[in-house]
Amino acid sequence: MPDGKPPRILAFANQKGGVGKTTTAINLATALASDRKVLLLDLDPQGNASTGLGIPRNERSPGSYALLVEGQPLPALARATQIPNLHLLPADPDLAGAEIELVGRDQRERCLANAFAANAAALAGFDFVFLDCPPSLGLITLNALVAADGVIVPLQTEFFALEGISHITRTIDRVKRALNPRLGLDGIVLTMVDRRNNLSELVASDARSFFKDKVYDTVIPRNVRVTEAPSHGLPVLLYDFRSPGAQAYVRLAAEFLKRDRARKP
Ligand code: ADP
Ligand code: MG
């Protein structure tokens, strides 16, 4: 249970779309919520995390835009979800304009970090805050990286995956040097792994030989139940708990907590 300490803030980022950022953020958050308090911020104007948690488009405002751009207080914005202990800040439709609106601001890359600082008391009620980033390295993702303690990079095991990952790791290094010394690569999660596909296995083994223990042992298999779940507004853990995809996210959460304990002094 929350102990009054600040939560650990993790950005789910990769400039490639469709690699499993949102799916991993939702399902890892859901699995962790069985005994931790988690807040998920949908920072992607496409609002897939909001859809995946069953929030209709016309009920998403005020949400992450109100926090990031308007500086509204978090307690009035965070919503309970159908999963106890999992709260959500949906992506309000206005978020699509945020990149442009933030450009002219002072400290435009620190708006989210400043909003978190102003809401420290409310955040202390959570163990983890997950930031589901859009598929770009624009100003919203930059705000997430400046506000985060660590980054989880979902990596789809396909041909160009490793080429793409150097963009995000270099961006993490730059943000760490220039803007947020706390930031680190927390881990890489291999997603949509298909054991019958040699290329998928090859990419997975290349990722492990290069990124070593940064790569989670748990891999997420390609599983049709994972694809179906969002259209029912449910995490796959609630849609079909016994499916291979849901069970992989349960194991990922156990590994995540084990790594989290090992990280602490
Ligand atoms: P991102 O947030 O990186 O754009 P998503 O999490 O939205 O990626 O995933 C992209 C698509 O792939 C979605 O349609 C999602 O349902 C599907 N998907 C994600 N993970 C899996 C999986 N393990 N098996 C099958 N489909 C998946
Ligand atoms: Mg997404």
Side-chain angles (χ1 to χ4, degrees), residues 99-168:
E99 298 262 348
I100 293 164
E101 288 175 57
L102 291 176
V103 163
R105 297 242 180 131
D106 280 354
Q107 296 203 311
R108 59 190 180 185
E109 71 286 343
R110 292 195 191 276
C111 297
L112 187 60
N114 291 340
F116 283 168
N119 286 284
L123 286 173
F126 294 97
D127 297 296
F128 298 105
V129 176
F130 285 179
L131 311 176
D132 185 29
C133 294
S136 78
L137 297 175
L139 206 39
I140 292 178
T141 298
L142 186 59
N143 265 273
L145 298 181
V146 172
D149 302 303
V151 187
I152 291 188
V153 179
L155 187 74
Q156 187 184 349
T157 49
E158 41 134 52
F159 185 59
F160 289 116
L162 291 170
E163 222 165 277
I165 202 172
S166 63
H167 291 294
I168 179 72

Side-chain angles (χ1 to χ4, degrees), residues 126-226:
F126 294 97
D127 297 296
F128 298 105
V129 176
F130 285 179
L131 311 176
D132 185 29
C133 294
S136 78
L137 297 175
L139 206 39
I140 292 178
T141 298
L142 186 59
N143 265 273
L145 298 181
V146 172
D149 302 303
V151 187
I152 291 188
V153 179
L155 187 74
Q156 187 184 349
T157 49
E158 41 134 52
F159 185 59
F160 289 116
L162 291 170
E163 222 165 277
I165 202 172
S166 63
H167 291 294
I168 179 72
T169 54
R170 268 185 280 131
T171 302
I172 293 168
D173 289 344
R174 287 204 196 102
V175 172
K176 184 181 173 66
R177 262 183 279 128
L179 297 166
N180 176 12
R182 294 194 324 276
L183 191 68
L185 172 61
D186 208 78
I188 295 168
V189 178
L190 303 177
T191 62
M192 298 180 236
V193 172
D194 181 355
R195 293 215 181 277
R196 293 158 308 178
N197 177 334
N198 289 336
L199 183 59
S200 176
E201 287 293 290
L202 190 66
V203 171
S205 80
D206 279 0
R208 287 189 196 285
S209 60
F210 192 76
F211 289 102
K212 307 274 187 293
D213 57 4
K214 286 288 179 194
V215 183
Y216 274 81
D217 294 332
T218 309
V219 302
I220 311 301
R222 184 176 285 284
N223 175 212
V224 68
R225 306 302 266 171
V226 177

Side-chain angles (χ1 to χ4, degrees), residues 14 16-24 44 48 132-133 135 154 191-193 220-228 230 245 249:
N14 184 331
K16 271 201 80 175
V19 298
K21 289 182 290 296
T22 300
T23 304
T24 301
D44 184 350
N48 295 337
D132 185 29
C133 294
T191 62
M192 298 180 236
V193 172
I220 311 301
R222 184 176 285 284
N223 175 212
V224 68
R225 306 302 266 171
V226 177
T227 326
E228 291 166 3
Y249 278 111

